[in-house]
C-alpha cells in the first residue's frame, strides 16, 4: 500500500537554527498537510497546500514557517529560526480527497 | 480550544468484548468525522469516517455512530482484539472534509488477552 514517507525520523537542532523537514506524499495525491504534536498534547493542524499554494493555515503557522513543493514528489516544511517550543512530532499527510494519510513523523528536538 | 473532546484518556477491555470510544464536539460547522488509530512511533492511521448526512457507518469490526443533535460520536470495535491496543483519535472537519482536521486528545485502548 502506498505510504507517506518522512525524513529524517529524528532531528536535533540548536535554538535559532533553521530546519527543513521533508516528506514524500503518496504519488497521486493532490492535497498536502503538516500537523504537529507536542509531547502530551493534541495533534494540531499547521498548514494545507493545494495547487502549489497554501489553502489554509493555523495561527501556529506564523512567519517562521514556510512550505514548499520543490519538485513533483517532495513537500517540505521549513522552520527558519527554531525555538524551544517548536520541539514536537511533525506529521506530514496527503490526500486525494479524503481521508488524510499520515507519515510516521519527524521528531524535532530543539536544544 | 476544545472543539473536539475525548473525555476518557484510557479504556481497558477484555479480548472478544466490545470497545466503545466516545467523542464530543462543539463546532456546528463540522460535517465530516474520522477515527484514527495511532501506535507509538507511527503516524495516525485512518480507520473509519462518517459524513453528517449519515448516523452510522460500518467497516468490518468497526462501526461509527453519529448523533448530530447531541454533537456526539462513538466508535465501536467488536470483537476487540489485542492488536487493537493503541491510541484512538477522533477528528472532525468542516466543508465536507476539505477543511483542516481538528483532533481530540485521544483515548488509549488496551485490550487484555
Amino acid at each position: 500500500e502506498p505510504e507517506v514517507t518522512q525524513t529524517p525520523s529524528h532531528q536535533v537542532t540548536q535554538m535559532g537554527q533553521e530546519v527543513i523537514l521533508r516528506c514524500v506524499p503518496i504519488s497521486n495525491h493532490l492535497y498536502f498537510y503538516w500537523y504537529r504534536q507536542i509531547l502530551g498534547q493534541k495533534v494540531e493542524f499547521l498548514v494545507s497546500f493545494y495547487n502549489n499554494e497554501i489553502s489554509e493555515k493555523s495561527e501556529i503557522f506564523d512567519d517562521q514557517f514556510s512550505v514548499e513543493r520543490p519538485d513533483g514528489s517532495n513537500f517540505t516544511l521549513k522552520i527558519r529560526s527554531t525555538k524551544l517550543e517548536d520541539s514536537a512530532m511533525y506529521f506530514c499527510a496527503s490526500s486525494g480527497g479524503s481521508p488524510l494519510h499520515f507519515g510516521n513523523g519527524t521528531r524535532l528536538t530543539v536544544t | 480550544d476544545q472543539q473536539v473532546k475525548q473525555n476518557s484518556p484510557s479504556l481497558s477491555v477484555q479480548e472478544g468484548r466490545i470497545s466503545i470510544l466516545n467523542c464530543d464536539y462543539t463546532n456546528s460547522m463540522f460535517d465530516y468525522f474520522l477515527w484514527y488509530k495511532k501506535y507509538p512511533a507511527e503516524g495516525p492511521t485512518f480507520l473509519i469516517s462518517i459524513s453528517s448526512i449519515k448516523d452510522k457507518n460500518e467497516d468490518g469490526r468497526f462501526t461509527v455512530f453519529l448523533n448530530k443533535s447531541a454533537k456526539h460520536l462513538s466508535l465501536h470495535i467488536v470483537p476487540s482484539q489485542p492488536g487493537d491496543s493503541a491510541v484512538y483519535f477522533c477528528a472532525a472537519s468542516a466543508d465536507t472534509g476539505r477543511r483542516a482536521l481538528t483532533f481530540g486528545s485521544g483515548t488509549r485502548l488496551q485490550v487484555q488477552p
Side-chain angles (χ1 to χ4, degrees), chain A residues 35 37 42-43 45 56 91 98-100 102-104, chain B residues 2 4 32 36 38 42-44 46 99-101 103:
Chain A
Y35 285 76
Q37 185 179 27
K42 292 185 178 186
V43 177
F45 169 72
E56 189 180 359
F91 294 106
S98 194
L100 273 63
F102 286 84
N104 284 335
Chain B
Q2 293 269 358
V4 179
Y32 187 65
Y36 282 84
K38 187 179 181 302
E42 294 185 12
F46 170 72
R99 300 296 302 277
L101 294 180
F103 281 84

Side-chain angles (χ1 to χ4, degrees), chain A residues 71-102:
Chain A
D71 52 43
S73 58
N74 290 284
F75 180 52
T76 61
L77 175 69
K78 182 191 290 186
I79 309 175
R80 263 180 273 282
S81 178
T82 50
K83 299 181 268 200
L84 293 176
E85 54 264 38
D86 294 328
S87 295
M89 281 291 291
Y90 287 80
F91 294 106
C92 174
S94 71
S95 165
S98 194
L100 273 63
H101 296 262
F102 286 84

Side-chain angles (χ1 to χ4, degrees), chain A residues 10-80:
Chain A
H10 192 187
Q11 173 96 42
V12 181
T13 190
Q14 288 194 320
M15 195 168 52
Q17 295 296 303
E18 175 182 286
V19 294
I20 298 176
L21 309 183
R22 302 181 191 279
C23 171
V24 179
I26 294 172
S27 61
N28 61 345
H29 284 182
L30 299 176
Y31 301 86
F32 313 111
Y33 307 83
W34 285 99
Y35 285 76
R36 79 174 185 189
Q37 185 179 27
I38 295 171
L39 188 63
Q41 298 187 22
K42 292 185 178 186
V43 177
E44 302 173 291
F45 169 72
L46 292 177
V47 66
S48 59
F49 192 85
Y50 170 72
N51 201 24
N52 283 321
E53 59 183 25
I54 291 173
S55 48
E56 189 180 359
K57 62 182 181 179
S58 71
E59 292 175 355
I60 303 168
F61 194 87
D62 61 22
D63 291 345
Q64 69 162 334
F65 292 94
S66 62
V67 289
E68 196 177 33
R69 188 152 163 82
D71 52 43
S73 58
N74 290 284
F75 180 52
T76 61
L77 175 69
K78 182 191 290 186
I79 309 175
R80 263 180 273 282

